[in-house]
Amino acid sequence: MAEGVTVETSKVDDHVVVLLLGEVDMANVDTTRSQVLSAAADDPGGVIVDLSRTTYLDSSGIRMLFEIEEELTALRITFDLVVPSASMVHRVLELTGVLTHMRCRTTVNDALNAER
């Protein structure tokens, strides 16, 4: 477990859902990235990173999201972010353009249904 953030993974249908709880920053971004990518090691249909309970995301965390997206795209694994409009990191992702660049949904169910 990376300090400041807890990474919880679950399997829903052929997708891996990765919930990031807490703060993602320079101190834990490498470990967090590794945990997210290792969750995709079994070649799932898609990876959903749920930021609904992420309380802080600095620029290294934003870079991490782009790196994860790039790596999963190269592996032909779909990648979605879950970012509810009321979440702590929504405004940061909006200002940095992440919400328009990446496939972002408001709930895990929305992300799963979009794939069907």
Side-chain angles (χ1 to χ4, degrees), residues 75-96:
L75 295 170
R76 298 183 181 205
I77 297 172
T78 62
F79 176 67
D80 288 279
L81 286 178
V82 171
V83 188
S85 57
S87 73
M88 298 291 282
V89 298
H90 183 271
R91 185 73 175 139
V92 170
L93 296 176
E94 182 178 52
L95 290 171
T96 57

Side-chain angles (χ1 to χ4, degrees), residues 43-109:
D43 195 24
V47 173
I48 299 167
V49 173
D50 184 353
L51 300 176
S52 62
R53 299 196 38 212
T54 305
T55 57
Y56 179 79
L57 186 74
D58 71 2
S59 60
S60 63
I62 292 168
R63 186 182 71 245
M64 173 196 73
L65 295 174
F66 282 105
E67 291 168 353
I68 290 169
E69 178 191 41
E70 185 177 318
E71 186 153 342
L72 293 177
T73 298
L75 295 170
R76 298 183 181 205
I77 297 172
T78 62
F79 176 67
D80 288 279
L81 286 178
V82 171
V83 188
S85 57
S87 73
M88 298 291 282
V89 298
H90 183 271
R91 185 73 175 139
V92 170
L93 296 176
E94 182 178 52
L95 290 171
T96 57
V98 171
L99 297 181
T100 57
H101 176 76
M102 294 184 188
R103 293 182 351 168
C104 297
R105 312 292 181 194
T106 55
T107 68
V108 171
N109 282 337

